[in-house]
Amino acid sequence: MKRMIKGNWFLLLAVCLNAVSAFAQFSTQQCSLNAEQLKNVQIAHSKTTSIVFPYAVKSIDKGSADVLVQKAKGVENIVLVKAAKQDFTPTNLTVVTGDNRLYVFMLQYDETCADLNVKADRSFLVNEEVLFSMDNDNQKTIEEYAALALSKKKKIHGLSRSRFEMQLRVTGVFIHRDVLYFRLVLGNRSKIGYDIDQLRFFIRDQRKSKRTASQEIEILPLYCTSPLSAVPDASELTLVYAVPKFTIPEKKYLTAQLIEKNGGRQIEVDVKHKDLIDLDILNSL
């Protein structure tokens, strides 16, 4: 009787081990199959790889601490990647963009032949049905309404500033739901190109005294129709910035500030509360 029980235990253990082994082999095959279907990107330890997406990046997840990942400063659609150590084990990078798309990259180490500029095309796309929470506007919708604001013929006057032969004008302020759209014109009348460091929006106190402390609240844009790096000499450019809706408190301004890279031609335009009373409402597309 004891021998029969002992034999049954050995038989049960063998069946369990075989099942575990079979499941492990199946899982390995599945993982290998999925990895083989993904497109590889070679990155290096001493070089930075730029991955450019068609829409703003909403979420980034890396599969290993052996790689370093961050969004490029001042832009929303470029991710910078490099190896944290040499000869790391291949890993993955997952990115979700504002147009509801999911991208997956297989990162491999290659110091000599790294891909320094990668375009996130459909070969990296694995899903187009990502759903955002209700407090996030769809980036594609914002882009479409920004284009509508750009094409509007109605213009406002009086919101402009000229310095150093540079001009910054606000020619339109529009709204659709919870997003404000500011149409700006950047003019360069000089013979020297203007390299843009950044264009900022922030709410601050009215200027009364240099000794008075001033609090600034920066407003981060959701989208820009033409992310620019420079305004060429003797040229004029028009673009639209989409920002989350806000109101301007009493005795405060909204300031649009254009800063030159490695230069001193800084220019600002102040928008008051009264300038946002008669907004142009963008109709549904």
Side-chain angles (χ1 to χ4, degrees):
M1 183 70 178
K2 290 182 178 181
R3 289 181 180 179
M4 291 179 61
I5 295 175
K6 187 175 182 181
N8 289 338
W9 273 108
F10 276 117
L11 179 60
L12 180 60
L13 179 61
V15 171
C16 292
L17 289 175
N18 287 334
V20 171
S21 177
F23 177 78
Q25 291 177 5
F26 173 77
S27 299
T28 301
Q29 291 173 356
Q30 287 294 101
C31 291
S32 176
L33 178 62
N34 292 336
E36 290 174 358
Q37 292 175 343
L38 300 176
K39 190 174 179 180
N40 296 326
V41 173
Q42 283 73 37
I43 65 173
H45 182 262
S46 61
K47 307 179 186 73
T48 299
T49 294
S50 300
I51 305 179
V52 183
F53 294 86
Y55 288 88
V57 172
K58 292 295 185 180
S59 173
I60 305 174
D61 183 75
K62 59 182 182 178
S64 169
D66 294 339
V67 296
L68 303 175
V69 181
Q70 69 177 31
K71 289 172 65 174
K73 182 180 178 180
V75 296
E76 295 294 324
N77 67 321
I78 299 178
V79 173
L80 305 179
V81 187
K82 69 185 302 183
K85 73 172 187 178
Q86 297 179 342
D87 297 319
F88 65 83
T89 302
T91 185
N92 68 299
L93 175 68
T94 303
V95 177
V96 177
T97 55
D99 58 336
N100 301 350
R101 294 184 174 184
L102 174 67
Y103 296 83
V104 178
F105 307 82
M106 287 301 298
L107 304 180
Q108 295 183 336
Y109 179 79
D110 192 333
E111 191 67 32
T112 58
C113 299
D115 299 324
L116 300 184
N117 190 0
V118 178
K119 181 179 179 181
D121 55 26
R122 296 192 67 86
S123 62
F124 297 104
L125 185 63
V126 297
N127 195 300
E128 299 184 72
E129 298 179 355
V130 178
L131 296 178
F132 295 112
S133 57
M134 291 302 293
D135 57 349
N136 286 315
D137 277 41
N138 183 278
Q139 189 74 15
K140 189 173 182 180
T141 300
I142 293 177
E143 178 179 341
E144 291 172 347
Y145 278 97
L148 180 60
L150 187 66
S151 64
K152 282 280 188 177
K153 294 183 179 180
K154 181 180 178 180
K155 295 183 179 181
I156 59 176
H157 303 279
L159 297 178
S160 65
R161 183 77 185 277
S162 297
R163 293 185 68 194
F164 313 111
E165 296 185 287
M166 291 294 301
Q167 187 179 54
L168 176 60
R169 307 198 311 268
V170 180
T171 63
V173 183
F174 310 88
I175 188 170
H176 179 260
R177 294 185 179 177
D178 294 333
V179 180
L180 286 167
Y181 297 86
F182 286 85
R183 186 174 61 205
L184 306 178
V185 176
L186 312 182
N188 184 359
R189 299 175 181 174
S190 72
K191 297 180 180 179
I192 303 175
Y194 189 98
D195 295 323
I196 299 175
D197 181 29
Q198 56 182 316
L199 200 159
R200 302 173 57 223
F201 294 88
F202 52 89
I203 295 176
R204 64 183 178 186
D205 300 328
Q206 294 182 6
R207 303 177 185 86
K208 291 184 178 180
S209 171
K210 293 183 178 180
R211 296 183 179 181
T212 303
S214 178
Q215 182 181 6
E216 295 183 353
I217 303 174
E218 185 164 5
I219 300 174
L220 299 178
L222 300 170
Y223 173 73
C224 176
T225 53
S226 301
L228 301 175
S229 59
V231 183
D233 59 287
S235 68
E236 187 174 272
L237 303 173
T238 303
L239 61 161
V240 171
Y241 277 87
V243 300
K245 72 174 183 180
F246 61 87
T247 56
I248 302 176
E250 187 179 359
K251 297 182 180 181
K252 290 183 182 290
Y253 289 115
L254 168 72
T255 298
Q257 182 185 68
L258 181 65
I259 302 175
E260 184 179 20
K261 185 177 182 180
N262 300 323
R265 293 182 290 178
Q266 179 173 310
I267 186 169
E268 299 177 354
V269 171
D270 290 331
V271 180
K272 301 178 181 179
H273 172 72
K274 65 178 183 179
D275 299 316
L276 299 182
I277 294 178
D278 187 20
L279 294 175
D280 191 354
I281 300 175
L282 297 175
N283 296 323
S284 300
L285 297 170

